[in-house]
Amino acid sequence: MFMSILGKSFSRRKGKIAIAIIAVIMGAAIPSAMFTVSLDISEKVSYEFRKYGANLILVPKSDTIQVGFPGVEFGAVTEQNMINESDLWKIKTISWRNNVLGFAPSLYQVVKSGEGTNEQRMVLVGTYFNKEVEILKPYSPDDKKIFKTGIKSISPWWEIDGDWIEDPNDNTGSLVGINVAQKLGLKLGNTFTIRYSEVPDDTANETEYVLRVLGIINTDGYEDNQIIVNLQVAQNLTNRPNEVHTVQVSALCNACPVDVFAAEIEEKIPNIDAKTVKQLVSAEMSVLNKVEDMMMLVTVVALLASALGVSTTMTTSVIERQKEIGLMKSIGAENKRIASLFMTEAGLVGLVGGLLGYGIGLLLAQIVGISVFDSTVSPRLSVLPLVLAISIGMTLLASSLPVRRAMKIEPVIVLRGE
Amino acid sequence: MGNGIIVTKNLSKIYGETKALQKANITIQRGDWTSIIGPSGSGKTTLLNMISCLDTATSGSVIVNGTNVSSLNQVKLTRFRRDNIGLIFQQYHLIPYLTALENVMMAQYYHSIVVEQDAREALENVGMGHRFDHIPSHLSGGEQQRVCIARALINDPKILLADEPTGNLDQKNGKIVLDLIKRLNDEGHTVVLVTHNPDISKKGNRIIELVDGKVTKVNVKNS
């Protein structure tokens, strides 16, 4: 009987029910889209930020010795330490390893090129471009044993005229900064000679090395003044096998503070300091927080508007059905029976509106994803129960006042037509 | 007097400054047909509403079937009404989107459990066996009133209260309805019928006359 009353009441008031469902759809579609985008956005924003470079830099710990007389300080002497290249695989064995998008070591050395008055001093940097690093002891047996990484994956935004160095065993290929190319008059495909001596300006013991220009870099940064080669080239030239000065790490940090990464890497690799690029991290966190705040605000406003719509529709429904409610009461319906009828109606409106709102929210999420991030947003089924709970809860809450009104209806008044 | 199925003692109802009913003392015997008659605004519907537990008194008491309903709260009044009283309205008050059968079954649903066969029999009993699946707008006034009576009877109440049951009916349909009420009274139901029509009031064996909220006359017909 209950279902018969409910079904016929619904079919008789299709228009009103449709308006209530539309109100719920509006309220449900926004949270559905916002939650779907929100789950994806953190990842996408982080990826966007990763395009602007690493957010962690590993440097060796330095031993600093204070020099001077008692009471008179002359300053400090710092001993240059190095990081072992053979430890770098450990970066991929921290608990947040899946969030490590890439890393690239750097070994720096000042070298000379050109002859006579045209002689130039510049920085040679040895690094990984596209290196396959073997993970000797993976964190989990399911982890991949080979990790492909290098400067190409952490600085994809570099503008290169020519090619990246793709072969990790290429011993002659180099990328030269645009300023270096101009000073030395280098073009793509040219070869040039660099000279290195362990003691500066010790021309008698200089080692010469011939490099080929594979690409010219233009970053508007310090790379424009550098020559970049495979790490082994720099290590062999400077006789520093297995040594690097710094390591840039690109970590995806949407759900974790980057400081946690830093601490874990410091635990894994001895004698290093992992320094976060605070500006980048705080900017990233700030953008994410603002986006999430904005989404929350939009969601709350949408839900309030929707609740208002549902409440108005339900109030109209109660007013229109006063006589029916009065009659039900006169023939013995208790208030809880009346309330359960209206609340079931409201719950069904919330359920249908929530389901449709979820679907429309997915479409909205795609529009946001494509227009803001140039990529689609993955539908998340986990959002559905959340959206249903919100829409049903909101509908029941919005209906509570009209239902209270229904419960207060006095049969004697409505039956005599007042 | 004290054995009446309905007894009111000094029953008054005041709306603002309007005294709708003043210290009404009446007794209705079990199995009687009591007609309450009076001009418009005399307080007859007010009296009926208080007997039927739809309204509460300003002062005085109503005792129905041995229970002082004046002391019951709204929930208990609702339960008492559905167990003891069948209501017949001038306007029928059927749910417009339910069929005749469903309108009767709805009263079963709010009382206890729905037994469709009993609802069919109730409709057949009032001559509506051929109209089970018709919605109220497809029924004549007389037919709607008979559905209303079937609904009032479905939970087997001891008391039938009818407020101008023929007020919206033509003479022919009015006669059908009154004959039906007479039959139900003969079967043992106590009937209280409110009317402004002296001819209809004479169908009862007891006539209570109200004027300006006061009981002015009680006529008992010798059987």
Side-chain angles (χ1 to χ4, degrees):
Chain A
M1 192 66 221
F2 180 79
M3 293 313 289
S4 180
I5 296 172
L6 196 65
K8 292 195 173 183
S9 158
F10 259 41
S11 65
R12 196 175 70 107
R13 299 180 301 115
K14 288 189 194 102
K16 291 268 177 354
I17 296 292
I19 291 170
I21 288 175
I22 289 168
V24 178
I25 289 173
M26 283 167 59
I30 303 292
S32 166
M34 293 295 122
F35 288 136
T36 306
V37 171
S38 179
L39 288 174
D40 232 44
I41 196 174
S42 303
E43 220 171 293
K44 287 193 187 302
V45 167
S46 289
Y47 271 110
E48 291 291 318
F49 269 95
R50 290 293 65 73
K51 289 180 187 170
Y52 300 100
N55 48 0
L56 265 177
I57 292 180
L58 312 186
V59 294
K61 274 191 175 149
S62 301
D63 296 325
T64 305
I65 304 160
Q66 298 293 330
V67 290
F69 301 109
V72 182
E73 286 186 6
F74 287 152
V77 172
T78 304
E79 186 190 345
Q80 175 66 60
N81 290 331
M82 304 294 278
I83 300 171
N84 287 335
E85 185 194 355
S86 56
D87 283 336
L88 298 188
W89 61 272
K90 293 175 183 170
I91 296 170
K92 259 310 240 189
T93 62
I94 62 171
S95 60
W96 291 94
R97 64 205 177 280
N98 292 331
N99 291 46
V100 174
L101 297 181
F103 58 82
S106 296
L107 179 66
Y108 301 98
Q109 183 58 56
V110 176
V111 295
K112 289 189 280 189
S113 188
E115 298 292 338
T117 54
N118 202 26
E119 186 181 270
Q120 300 285 336
R121 283 170 181 267
M122 57 211 66
V123 176
L124 177 78
V125 183
T127 188
Y128 293 164
F129 285 90
N130 201 16
K131 169 102 170 169
E132 287 186 349
V133 176
E134 189 182 359
I135 312 299
L136 298 176
K137 284 184 195 166
Y139 182 88
S140 149
D142 300 331
D143 289 354
K144 287 181 181 168
K145 295 222 165 95
I146 298 293
F147 179 54
K148 220 171 187 182
T149 186
I151 203 82
K152 192 177 170 184
S153 60
I154 66 170
S155 299
W157 50 276
W158 280 9
E159 278 184 32
I160 295 195
D161 181 15
D163 298 315
W164 291 89
I165 301 171
E166 297 288 352
D167 181 2
N169 297 315
D170 186 341
N171 287 328
T172 57
S174 70
L175 299 184
V176 296
I178 190 161
N179 296 340
V180 174
Q182 277 171 2
K183 283 175 187 167
L184 298 178
L186 295 174
K187 291 200 169 115
L188 285 179
N190 288 169
T191 55
F192 64 104
T193 304
I194 55 168
R195 295 189 300 282
Y196 161 74
S197 60
E198 199 168 336
V199 179
D201 297 325
D202 180 6
T203 49
N205 291 310
E206 276 182 347
T207 307
E208 291 196 344
Y209 201 92
V210 177
L211 293 173
R212 190 162 45 91
V213 180
L214 280 185
I216 295 171
I217 322 163
N218 184 1
T219 66
D220 282 335
Y222 49 78
E223 293 89 359
D224 290 355
N225 298 308
Q226 294 175 344
I227 299 167
I228 305 171
V229 294
N230 267 322
L231 179 61
Q232 66 206 28
V233 173
Q235 285 174 335
N236 290 342
L237 183 69
T238 59
N239 197 25
R240 286 170 175 156
N242 195 37
E243 291 183 354
V244 298
H245 282 112
T246 62
V247 183
Q248 297 179 65
V249 182
S250 183
L252 189 61
C253 269
N254 55 333
C256 58
V258 75
D259 292 339
V260 175
F261 278 83
E264 268 208 74
I265 293 172
E266 281 175 356
E267 261 179 45
K268 292 277 179 186
I269 302 177
N271 298 316
I272 61 144
D273 279 327
K275 298 186 172 178
T276 57
V277 184
K278 295 280 186 192
Q279 281 178 324
L280 199 58
V281 173
S282 61
E284 181 179 335
M285 287 314 213
S286 162
V287 166
L288 280 179
N289 289 341
K290 280 179 183 167
V291 168
E292 280 175 3
D293 286 352
M294 188 199 72
M295 285 182 170
M296 190 55 76
L297 189 69
V298 171
T299 301
V300 168
V301 170
L303 282 174
L304 281 176
S306 175
L308 197 65
V310 171
S311 185
T312 307
T313 312
M314 289 301 281
T315 303
T316 312
S317 173
V318 167
I319 292 169
E320 281 177 357
R321 296 167 74 186
Q322 277 190 104
K323 213 164 184 174
E324 188 182 320
I325 296 164
L327 172 74
M328 286 174 176
K329 287 187 171 186
S330 75
I331 60 172
E334 292 172 31
N335 273 338
K336 61 184 179 189
R337 294 284 189 105
I338 304 287
S340 70
L341 178 66
F342 278 89
M343 283 306 201
T344 307
E345 271 190 33
L348 286 173
V349 165
L351 179 69
V352 175
L355 281 171
L356 295 173
Y358 171 73
I360 291 171
L362 287 186
L363 291 177
L364 283 177
Q366 296 310 323
I367 293 168
V368 172
I370 289 167
S371 58
V372 180
F373 301 105
D374 284 336
S375 72
T376 54
V377 175
S378 319
R380 309 273 180 146
L381 207 59
S382 58
V383 172
L384 179 61
L386 192 63
V387 169
L388 287 183
I390 287 175
S391 52
I392 293 172
M394 180 270 294
T395 314
L396 292 179
L397 201 66
S399 303
S400 60
L401 276 179
V403 169
R404 277 174 68 90
R405 184 184 178 129
M407 288 164 72
K408 284 182 181 166
I409 288 173
E410 289 183 41
V412 68
I413 292 174
V414 292
L415 292 180
R416 69 172 173 238
E418 284 177 19
Chain B
M1 285 285 281
N3 294 332
I5 192 168
I6 298 166
V7 179
T8 72
K9 290 178 182 169
N10 294 324
L11 192 64
S12 297
K13 182 71 182 179
I14 300 169
Y15 297 106
E17 292 182 356
T18 308
K19 292 176 180 172
L21 197 64
Q22 297 179 63
K23 295 189 175 178
N25 291 294
I26 61 168
T27 299
I28 294 167
Q29 299 298 333
R30 195 177 297 271
D32 269 6
W33 172 329
T34 302
S35 298
I36 300 174
I37 189 167
S40 185
S42 59
K44 50 190 189 301
T45 297
T46 302
L47 175 62
L48 195 76
N49 286 339
M50 285 187 286
I51 293 170
S52 62
C53 310
L54 285 173
D55 206 353
T56 51
T58 307
S59 62
S61 62
V62 183
I63 295 157
V64 180
N65 203 20
T67 301
N68 184 353
V69 296
S70 312
S71 62
L72 300 181
N73 61 26
Q74 278 304 322
V75 175
K76 285 181 178 168
L77 277 177
T78 302
R79 288 178 188 161
F80 183 84
R81 182 166 61 242
R82 75 184 177 204
D83 289 340
N84 292 279
I85 297 165
L87 292 168
I88 303 166
F89 305 101
Q90 182 180 359
Q91 309 286 344
Y92 331 128
H93 293 313
L94 300 175
I95 301 285
Y97 53 85
L98 297 182
T99 63
L101 186 64
E102 286 168 337
N103 265 288
V104 177
M105 283 159 62
M106 189 178 70
Q108 282 183 312
Y109 170 69
Y110 288 130
H111 179 265
S112 49
I113 54 165
V114 175
V115 182
E116 188 175 331
Q117 187 52 36
D118 288 355
R120 287 178 182 275
E121 283 172 12
L123 280 170
E124 280 165 359
N125 194 30
V126 295
M128 289 295 291
H130 60 301
R131 299 289 212 188
F132 289 147
D133 298 323
H134 288 69
I135 58 171
S137 59
H138 294 170
L139 299 173
S140 70
E143 286 174 327
Q144 287 187 55
Q145 191 58 289
R146 281 186 277 162
V147 174
C148 179
I149 293 169
R151 183 180 63 192
L153 291 171
I154 189 65
N155 295 319
D156 199 22
K158 293 178 177 58
I159 303 161
L160 278 179
L161 302 181
D163 188 4
E164 302 274 12
T166 58
N168 282 353
L169 301 179
D170 57 26
Q171 201 173 6
K172 182 185 159 199
N173 277 304
K175 184 177 182 317
I176 292 171
V177 166
L178 288 172
D179 288 349
L180 184 55
I181 292 172
K182 175 70 181 148
R183 199 186 84 209
L184 293 169
N185 179 231
D186 291 344
E187 287 169 3
H189 291 282
T190 304
V191 173
V192 180
L193 185 145
V194 163
T195 182
H196 64 275
N197 185 328
D199 292 336
I200 294 174
S201 73
K202 286 174 189 159
K203 302 265 182 188
N205 54 336
R206 183 183 294 261
I207 302 168
I208 297 172
E209 199 175 307
L210 285 175
V211 178
D212 294 334
K214 292 178 184 166
V215 178
T216 53
K217 198 186 286 180
V218 178
N219 286 330
V220 181
K221 201 193 284 182
N222 293 323
S223 52

